[in-house]
């Protein structure tokens, strides 16, 4: 699986959009971008994933650049409960990929009142 | 919404003792995983399990570790002779067939004294 690079930490004001970047310059054509988050030592929580098109669900939006070398997770209206570590994970889809997720250090997002 | 559950939430044991950590995956899921997170460190993959056998395991998952699906609902991780360095949060996760999103449980905090 391709390596990802994320900022160590970010701050965001409550009610504003939080934009979390991720670089994955060595991503392959069959690799998806996944985002998980971990709130204070709880189990990681799935947020969203995508291959090349932008994706949106009830939690967030995922914007993937055309060359697929980077992506941004957008929390449109951050709340205090969104304070967490956010992990960007690149992973091969299909075949034997029902396998491990490789977590990095992630980005610590702190949402301020 | 269905959730992965884990018991116990906390376990304290003496070095050298055997521990069994229990997980109940989401009912229609077929792929199961264990991860661990030592305090302050990354979430690390231990093992994946499908069709009653191990699909993949990490270097951490040595002969002291074993997994089992003893019945149709439980998935267990056994550590035969615990070491101090086994102290960590242990997370179980599961995935349904034809999907690749892993859903995590809340974790078991294991402390080895």
């Amino acid at each position: 699986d391709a390596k990802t690079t994320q900022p160590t930490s970010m701050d965001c004001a409550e009610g504003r959009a939080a934009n979390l970047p991720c670089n994955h310059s060595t991503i392959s054509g069959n690799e998806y971008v996944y985002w998980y988050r971990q709130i204070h030592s709880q189990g990681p929580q799935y947020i969203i994933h995508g291959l090349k098109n932008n994706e949106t669900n009830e939690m967030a939006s995922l914007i993937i650049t055309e060359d697929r070398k980077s992506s941004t997770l957008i929390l449109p209206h951050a709340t205090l409960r969104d304070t967490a570590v956010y992990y960007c994970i690149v992973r091969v889809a299909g075949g034997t990929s029902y396998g491990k997720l490789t977590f990095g250090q992630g980005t610590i997002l702190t949402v301020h009142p | 919404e269905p959730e992965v559950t884990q018991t116990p939430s906390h376990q304290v044991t003496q070095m050298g003792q055997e521990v069994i950590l229990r997980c109940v995956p989401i009912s229609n899921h077929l792929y199961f995983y264990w991860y661990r997170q030592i305090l302050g460190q990354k979430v690390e993959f231990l093992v994946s399990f499908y069709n009653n056998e191990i699909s993949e395991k990490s270097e951490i998952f040595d002969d002291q570790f074993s997994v089992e699906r003893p019945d149709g609902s439980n998935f267990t991780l056994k550590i035969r002779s615990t070491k101090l360095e086994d102290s960590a949060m242990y997370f179980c996760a599961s995935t349904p067939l034809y999907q690749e999103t892993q859903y995590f449980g809340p974790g078991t905090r294991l402390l080895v004294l």
Side-chain angles (χ1 to χ4, degrees):
Chain A
D1 296 333
K3 181 177 166 53
T4 62
T5 304
Q6 300 178 250
T8 302
S9 63
M10 295 184 65
D11 290 338
C12 178
E14 189 177 20
R16 306 297 293 267
N19 297 282
L20 291 91
C22 179
N23 285 320
H24 31 79
S25 58
T26 61
I27 193 170
S28 300
N30 63 345
E31 288 182 316
Y32 281 77
V33 180
Y34 277 79
W35 284 85
Y36 281 78
R37 73 180 182 183
Q38 189 177 24
I39 298 173
H40 190 54
S41 294
Q42 296 177 20
Q45 178 189 23
Y46 166 77
I47 301 172
I48 199 167
H49 74 285
L51 184 62
K52 50 185 174 183
N53 297 322
N54 297 338
E55 302 288 343
T56 295
N57 62 20
E58 65 279 3
M59 289 183 69
S61 295
L62 174 60
I63 308 298
I64 303 174
T65 58
E66 196 168 335
D67 63 9
R68 302 187 68 240
K69 293 186 176 184
S70 65
S71 60
T72 301
L73 178 74
I74 301 172
L75 307 178
H77 305 287
T79 70
L80 299 179
R81 287 176 295 180
D82 292 321
T83 293
V85 181
Y86 286 77
Y87 301 100
C88 170
I89 299 170
V90 169
R91 186 161 171 261
V92 175
T96 59
S97 69
Y98 291 102
K100 62 184 179 185
L101 291 171
T102 301
F103 289 82
Q105 298 289 356
T107 296
I108 301 169
L109 174 69
T110 304
V111 181
H112 297 286
Chain B
E1 187 173 325
E3 293 180 337
V4 176
T5 60
Q6 291 185 242
T7 55
S9 58
H10 294 78
Q11 178 140 8
V12 181
T13 190
Q14 295 291 322
M15 190 169 57
Q17 294 296 303
E18 175 184 285
V19 295
I20 297 176
L21 309 183
R22 291 183 167 80
C23 168
V24 178
I26 296 172
S27 65
N28 62 342
H29 289 194
L30 297 177
Y31 296 85
F32 313 114
Y33 312 86
W34 283 101
Y35 292 80
R36 79 170 186 191
Q37 186 175 31
I38 295 171
L39 187 64
Q41 298 188 21
K42 296 186 288 188
V43 177
E44 301 173 288
F45 168 78
L46 292 177
V47 66
S48 59
F49 190 87
Y50 170 69
N51 200 25
N52 282 320
E53 59 183 30
I54 291 173
S55 306
E56 185 178 3
K57 60 183 180 179
S58 71
E59 291 178 354
I60 302 167
F61 194 88
D62 61 22
D63 292 343
Q64 293 298 315
F65 291 88
S66 63
V67 288
E68 192 178 31
R69 188 152 163 82
D71 53 41
S73 59
N74 289 285
F75 179 51
T76 62
L77 174 69
K78 182 193 290 186
I79 309 175
R80 253 180 282 282
S81 177
T82 50
K83 307 185 187 81
L84 297 176
E85 54 264 37
D86 294 327
S87 295
M89 282 288 288
Y90 288 81
F91 297 110
C92 173
S94 66
T95 300
L97 190 62
Y98 303 129
Q99 285 190 35
E100 302 191 30
T101 300
Q102 293 183 23
Y103 297 88
F104 285 77
T108 293
R109 185 176 296 280
L110 176 66
L111 178 61
V112 182
L113 301 176

